[in-house]
């Protein structure tokens, strides 16, 4: 079921974004009087379609893209027979270069607008909720396996990042730190300051969402939040507000300690002592095979909540949207400098589906859809033949030089671009499978 939920979120998110991207091309083309023959979400074989005016609208069976077919344009269909005929006034090739450039940029522009809009709505609806540096350092951090690799320890209190004090916990795993060069943490360990250097290729080890979530966490005292119906927690009598004091005689103060104990007791009986009001209760239960009891923890640390006005949300959302593009540029920079391997940094459809997760969370869905919208805009803007950016480069040359490249050159450029894109897609899918299996 988790796999189906992951796939469903990926297909829905991509269908929305690809549909809007291709609509951007179609809208611009129709605005300039070009004939749009087809508008499809998904690639052939065709599931269904209908004709409206001059355009056939449809859905393809392969939900990893889409396309519009504009008369007189050399595209992935490679319809050279149509291109050999005399140009018609309604064709793409008959229009001025500046109009053709706008058509090619239409999809990118729409994806940028959609991405910014989603981030603005998220900022306005959700505001921000963060853990301040003061709250983090009440108890310190939980160091995951990768954190221990670079020298961090559970209980460390991080006082500076790259030599500067930090405001909230999210900064510890920000792109400035993990995508930067020569980054470091300064920690207070038992009253002494220790400098922890972060390797320049460290980000590739955090390519797995689970690894990144478990990298560093705050040491969090907790109480029982919502109890899942029919779970071991409910059957044992755990109530919202209870505080776990011990499990099988092992003292418990922080949530990660309880998690570790439960993992060691999968499918086994456990005795819980909980604080309830002024007294204590002893509860007996059996731990699930996945090492859980069936409740949501409620942190006892104080999170800072911020609500944004519409004006503030516009500024914050726009900044968050373009930060996605900036981070992609920095990521590619690390790959080109050899600090990160492409196989670790790049993800295909399987990797993206794993980011959505096996539980349908609308907040996460829209955040990732906004992120993917900006990534789609960025990737399409790359100057690769067959991508919008490649067409835009050729059209910009035509506008500046006044010379139009021959149809033969455009056809060959399209072929080269398609080979590159298909090769990249094959690499990404194989890479996803390799990472998932090994």
């Amino acid at each position: 079921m988790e796999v189906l939920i992951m796939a469903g979120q990926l297909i829905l998110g991509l269908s929305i974004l690809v549909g809007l991207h291709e609509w951007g091309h179609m809208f611009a083309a129709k605005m300039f009087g070009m004939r749009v023959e087809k508008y499809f979400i998904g690639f052939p074989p065709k599931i269904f379609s209908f004709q409206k005016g001059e355009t056939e609208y449809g859905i393809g069976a392969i939900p990893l893209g889409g396309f519009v077919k504009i008369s007189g344009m050399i595209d992935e269909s490679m319809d050279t027979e149509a291109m050999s005929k005399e140009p018609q006034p309604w064709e793409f090739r008959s229009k001025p270069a500046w109009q053709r450039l706008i058509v090619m940029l239409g999809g990118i522009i729409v994806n940028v607008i959609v991405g910014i809009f989603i981030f603005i709505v998220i900022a306005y609806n959700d505001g921000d909720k963060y853990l301040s540096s003061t709250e983090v350092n009440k108890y310190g951090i939980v160091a995951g396996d990768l954190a221990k690799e670079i020298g961090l320890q559970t209980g460390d209190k991080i006082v500076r990042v790259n030599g500067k004090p930090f405001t909230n916990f999210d900064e510890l795993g920000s792109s400035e730190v993990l995508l930067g060069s020569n980054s470091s943490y300064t920690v207070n360990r038992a009253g002494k300051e220790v400098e922890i250097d972060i390797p320049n290729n460290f980000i590739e080890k955090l390519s797995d969402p689970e690894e990144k979530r478990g990298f560093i966490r705050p040491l969090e005292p907790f109480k029982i939040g919502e109890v899942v119906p029919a779970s071991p927690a409910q059957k044992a009598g755990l109530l919202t507000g209870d505080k776990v004091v011990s499990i099988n005689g092992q003292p418990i103060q922080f949530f990660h300690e309880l998690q570790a104990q439960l993992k060691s007791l999968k499918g086994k009986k456990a005795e819980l002592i909980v604080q309830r009001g002024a007294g204590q209760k002893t509860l007996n239960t059996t731990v699930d095979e996945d090492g859980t009891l069936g409740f949501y923890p409620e942190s006892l640390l104080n999170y800072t909540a911020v609500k944004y006005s519409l004006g503030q949300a516009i500024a914050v959302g726009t900044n968050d949207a373009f930060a996605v593009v900036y981070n992609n540029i920095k990521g590619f920079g690390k790959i080109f400098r050899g600090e990160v391997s492409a196989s670790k940094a790049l993800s295909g459809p399987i990797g993206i589906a794993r980011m959505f997760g096996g539980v349908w969370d609308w907040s996460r869905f829209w955040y990732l859809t906004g992120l993917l919208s900006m990534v789609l805009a960025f990737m399409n803007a790359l100057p690769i033949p067959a991508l919008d950016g490649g067409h835009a480069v050729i059209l910009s040359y035509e506008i500046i030089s006044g010379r139009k490249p021959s149809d033969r050159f455009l056809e060959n450029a399209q072929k080269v671009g398609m080979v590159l894109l298909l090769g990249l897609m094959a690499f990404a899918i194989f890479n996803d499978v390799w990472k998932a299996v090994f």
Side-chain angles (χ1 to χ4, degrees), residues 136-137 140-141 143 147 150-164 166 172 184-198 216:
V136 173
N137 287 329
I141 63 159
I150 64 173
L152 288 168
Q153 297 178 9
T154 295
D156 283 348
K157 297 180 179 181
I158 300 177
V159 292
R160 290 188 295 278
V161 181
N162 291 341
K164 300 177 182 178
F166 68 98
L172 304 182
S184 66
Y185 298 124
T186 305
V187 306
N188 182 316
R189 181 178 296 165
K192 295 182 179 179
E193 287 197 354
V194 179
E195 200 73 17
I196 305 293
D197 293 325
I198 303 172
I216 52 175

Side-chain angles (χ1 to χ4, degrees), residues 251-407:
I252 300 294
Q253 181 182 5
F254 303 110
F255 184 60
H256 83 283
E257 295 173 333
L258 178 66
Q259 286 181 305
Q261 288 299 310
L262 292 177
K263 284 183 179 178
S264 69
L265 294 169
K266 292 180 179 179
K268 298 179 181 178
K269 294 186 181 298
E271 181 185 81
L272 299 176
I273 296 178
V274 301
Q275 184 77 35
R276 183 176 294 170
Q280 291 188 344
K281 294 276 186 180
T282 300
L283 306 175
N284 293 297
T285 186
T286 299
V287 181
D288 267 346
E289 291 296 336
D290 61 356
T292 63
L293 290 177
F295 71 87
Y296 295 95
E298 184 177 327
S299 176
L300 295 178
L301 293 176
N302 295 314
Y303 282 76
T304 301
V306 178
K307 293 298 290 182
Y308 296 120
S309 67
L310 180 58
Q312 290 171 324
I314 290 173
V316 170
T318 303
N319 182 72
D320 289 346
F322 281 105
V324 175
V325 177
Y326 177 61
N327 291 339
N328 271 271
I329 294 171
K330 290 179 70 175
F332 272 101
K334 275 190 170 290
I335 293 174
F336 292 140
R337 291 195 299 271
E339 296 176 359
V340 175
S341 66
S343 62
K344 294 286 187 179
L346 299 177
S347 291
I350 298 173
I352 296 171
R354 292 179 66 194
M355 291 170 61
F356 280 101
V359 177
W360 201 296
D361 182 326
W362 281 110
S363 295
R364 181 169 57 190
F365 171 82
W366 284 114
Y367 171 79
L368 288 174
T369 300
L371 184 148
L372 287 174
S373 192
M374 298 303 295
V375 170
L376 187 61
F378 170 73
M379 295 300 292
N380 268 284
L382 295 176
I384 299 174
L387 288 179
D388 298 340
H391 288 286
V393 168
I394 294 171
L395 287 166
S396 297
Y397 165 80
E398 181 182 341
I399 292 171
I400 294 169
S401 67
R403 295 192 298 272
K404 183 178 181 180
S406 68
D407 287 347

